[in-house]
Amino acid sequence: MAIKCRILAIDGGGIRGVIPAYILQQLESSLGRAVYQSFDIVAGTSTGGIISLGLTSPPSPFSGTPIVPYAASQILSFYMYDEPQLFVPQASGDFYTAKYYSVNNNTQPPTGIEAWLQQQLGTWTLRQACENMQRLQGATVKHVLVTCYTMSGDKVNGDKDSQVMIGPYLFNWDSANKRDDENYRVWEAARATSAAPTFFPIARVGNGAPNGSMALARWAADGGVAANNPALYGLAAARKADPSLSLDEIFIVSLGTGIYNPAIKILFSDLNWEDKTGNWGAIPWVLEGQDVNGNSTSPLLNVLSMSNVLSPDQQLQDLMPKCNYYRLEPQIGYAESGMDATDVKVLRDTAQKYIGPGGDGALKFAAVVKALQTGQTAAASA
């Protein structure tokens, strides 16, 4: 059956965004066209949200004519060379404050992820990005969404009894086109979706935020706390836009940022004895733990972070026809599993080997390229 809706979903993972950025660079090269000319819906979380917005939004500054979004090669270059501008350590960081912070005052030029996002994405709003896309030759993207988790927010229209919903929230073109109070700047959506707890301050976006929009004020955390793999959100957006679509007519490409997920040792916390009961309290679950390879981990954070990556993948494998869903994600080592301070060249080489000749993802990548070239799934063209 012919493909009628093509979805690209990109996971979170900090600097490991090198991996999906490289895969997308190779995809653009193989297809001979840009991401915005190859997919109908683009969904992203955290670093994947930044990539999604960069590939579908016009770079700064505004020129008055349709502006081509960043190419995947440019996005990859940001990850390869701009890490010091994104991860600016706190001068007085401690256990109680975020690891990295954006400095923006009158005594020195602004630095950090927020300033960097504003520089790269300018003052464009989500609605303007959508309008720009509609004017671009060969553009196919109709909807973009990125995830976050709203922790607090303003009253809606000043109504004392109506407050923004606390919980998962999508910055998206559809809502921005319908409501002024959801028409955030693109950089705000990028900042909110990537506000990783303990790494960056909670994102303040909307009315009252420096250089922000007049949309509803939100205090938002990284979308990865709820949906680090946004593929199901992409599928939901497709069915919402066209309820008549069958699963056979939808094609999903889901990109991970590399997975390291060995078993966790079940040990007695204080004495490192084998624990036969699993009777863990707060300290063993949160602060102490080892995987079976002897590497330190927080068992609770490990379980939570892995579950919202692996669960959507398992559900989509069960739900989608076999040749209509592809998950591309290489295995990585412990040294490459962090969200920061990771060797970007190693990550790029890992992605290269994964989809290169003989790589574990080579056949999947080739199938994705063929499906996007022909507009038919492998099953339909067999």
Side-chain angles (χ1 to χ4, degrees):
M1 184 174 290
I3 299 170
K4 293 186 178 180
C5 181
R6 301 156 297 177
I7 300 170
L8 172 64
I10 312 173
D11 286 13
I15 197 62
R16 301 200 317 268
V18 167
I19 290 173
Y22 176 83
I23 293 174
L24 289 169
Q25 178 198 44
Q26 295 304 303
L27 185 63
E28 287 190 339
S29 177
S30 297
L31 294 173
R33 61 177 186 264
V35 165
Y36 73 85
Q37 297 170 316
S38 303
F39 291 92
D40 302 286
I41 295 173
V42 180
T45 289
S46 194
T47 200
I50 294 176
I51 295 173
S52 298
L53 293 167
L55 292 171
T56 57
S57 304
S60 176
F62 175 67
S63 67
T65 59
I67 301 175
V68 175
Y70 288 109
S73 59
Q74 292 173 292
I75 301 293
L76 177 60
S77 180
F78 291 149
Y79 282 92
M80 297 299 296
Y81 302 110
D82 287 8
E83 183 177 4
Q85 299 178 49
L86 299 171
F87 296 95
V88 178
Q90 290 248 37
S92 58
D94 55 34
F95 186 79
Y96 296 97
T97 59
K99 186 175 183 181
Y100 302 107
Y101 189 64
S102 300
V103 178
N104 190 349
N105 55 42
N106 296 325
T107 62
Q108 57 183 316
T111 61
I113 189 170
E114 188 163 307
W116 186 88
L117 289 170
Q118 290 180 16
Q119 180 182 2
Q120 306 305 328
L121 298 171
T123 59
W124 293 88
T125 64
L126 295 170
R127 184 183 299 167
Q128 289 172 326
C130 179
E131 293 170 347
N132 181 75
M133 183 65 66
Q134 293 171 349
R135 298 194 297 267
L136 286 173
Q137 184 175 2
T140 58
V141 173
K142 303 174 183 65
H143 192 45
V144 174
L145 59 94
V146 297
T147 67
C148 83
Y149 191 95
T150 298
M151 301 177 67
S152 183
D154 282 357
K155 305 295 183 183
V156 177
N157 298 324
D159 184 347
K160 65 181 180 64
D161 297 320
S162 181
Q163 191 172 17
V164 298
M165 183 177 294
I166 306 306
Y169 174 75
L170 298 178
F171 296 91
N172 66 94
W173 284 2
D174 185 54
S175 296
N177 285 328
K178 292 177 179 177
R179 295 173 56 111
D180 289 342
D181 59 12
E182 295 199 56
N183 186 27
Y184 294 89
R185 298 197 190 281
V186 175
W187 76 259
E188 290 179 297
R191 171 71 175 89
T193 193
S194 60
T198 77
F199 281 85
F200 298 111
I202 301 169
R204 167 71 169 178
V205 298
N207 191 7
N211 301 319
S213 65
M214 295 305 294
L216 287 168
R218 294 178 186 271
W219 286 99
D222 192 305
V225 303
N228 204 49
N229 176 345
L232 281 174
Y233 272 120
L235 177 59
R239 293 299 299 270
K240 180 180 179 181
D242 185 357
S244 69
L245 280 174
S246 70
L247 295 179
D248 288 324
E249 297 171 317
I250 299 172
F251 185 72
I252 303 175
V253 180
S254 176
L255 302 182
T257 60
I259 189 164
Y260 176 79
N261 186 36
I264 296 172
K265 287 184 178 180
I266 308 300
L267 299 172
F268 189 75
S269 172
D270 296 330
L271 301 178
N272 205 38
W273 293 343
E274 185 177 3
D275 179 6
K276 300 295 186 181
T277 69
N279 187 20
W280 285 2
I283 290 178
W285 264 112
V286 178
L287 298 179
E288 296 180 10
Q290 288 185 346
D291 63 35
V292 293
N293 297 323
N295 296 308
S296 64
T297 185
S298 167
L300 181 62
L301 294 180
N302 182 280
V303 170
L304 292 176
S305 62
M306 284 297 101
S307 65
N308 66 29
V309 169
L310 299 175
S311 294
D313 178 43
Q314 292 174 351
Q315 294 170 59
L316 286 167
Q317 287 187 49
D318 290 339
L319 183 66
M320 297 294 295
K322 181 178 179 181
C323 295
N324 288 64
Y325 169 69
Y326 289 93
R327 172 75 175 173
L328 294 168
E329 181 169 43
Q331 297 285 332
I332 57 175
Y334 180 78
E336 289 75 52
S337 64
M339 293 204 301
D340 64 342
T342 299
D343 191 326
V344 291
K345 292 182 180 179
V346 171
L347 290 170
R348 182 193 58 194
D349 291 346
T350 297
Q352 183 179 28
K353 292 176 182 177
Y354 176 68
I355 63 172
D360 291 341
L363 293 179
K364 289 182 180 180
F365 181 76
V368 167
V369 171
K370 185 175 181 180
L372 292 175
Q373 285 174 334
T374 64
Q376 301 277 341
T377 63
S381 60

